[in-house]
Amino acid sequence: MTLWVITLAAAVLTALRPRRVEVRGASMEPTLAPGDRLLVLAGVAPRTGAVVALHDPRRPEGELLVKRVAALGPAGLDVRGDNPARSTDSRTFGPVPAALIEGTVVWRYGPPERAGRIARGPSRRQQ
């Protein structure tokens, strides 16, 4: 029984490919603050309103961005920061191809006083 549980847990972790990400900048305030540490799961499909980690389409090999999915479309995902005045997002670089999405943010694990689940928010088309 124990071997079965370990095998199942390993399969789930392989499918979800968990990753840790730290928020830098104020583009997702008030939802996320600089220094927040997040758990990102690759096996969770992004939906409208979800917070995702993605490769910056202007330099895909650089740091990850954390944004909210405002809309899903044939050209890719429209992503926006919750703080439009401080966010560089799809308003600047256009829709993001799904291949650049690293995963969906599901949990904030730090700082401890802010730890908790990251819920889907409303989809917003911020102009």
Side-chain angles (χ1 to χ4, degrees):
M1 179 72 162
T2 303
L3 181 58
W4 182 83
V5 171
I6 292 171
T7 303
L8 179 61
V12 168
L13 285 175
T14 299
L16 295 177
R17 295 190 327 268
R19 179 172 182 161
R20 296 177 299 173
V21 174
E22 183 175 341
V23 175
R24 297 174 193 249
S27 72
M28 285 300 293
E29 288 181 330
T31 307
L32 300 172
D36 281 357
R37 291 178 299 281
L38 311 172
L39 177 64
V40 176
L41 299 180
V44 177
R47 301 184 305 179
T48 302
V51 177
V52 296
L54 62 134
H55 295 277
D56 187 331
R58 298 166 300 170
R59 48 187 185 290
E61 65 285 339
E63 290 186 27
L64 294 176
L65 304 176
V66 176
K67 304 293 179 193
R68 187 173 305 280
V69 177
L72 302 168
L77 287 77
D78 184 324
V79 296
R80 306 288 175 105
D82 285 357
N83 182 356
R86 303 284 304 270
S87 182
T88 302
D89 50 36
S90 288
R91 292 171 299 152
T92 301
F93 47 70
V96 178
L100 293 181
I101 304 297
E102 186 69 25
T104 300
V105 176
V106 294
W107 190 264
R108 175 181 23 230
Y109 65 89
E113 65 275 7
R114 290 177 47 83
R117 183 174 163 262
I118 303 296
R120 256 182 49 205
S123 66
R124 300 189 222 188
R125 282 219 164 265
Q126 299 162 339
Q127 304 287 328

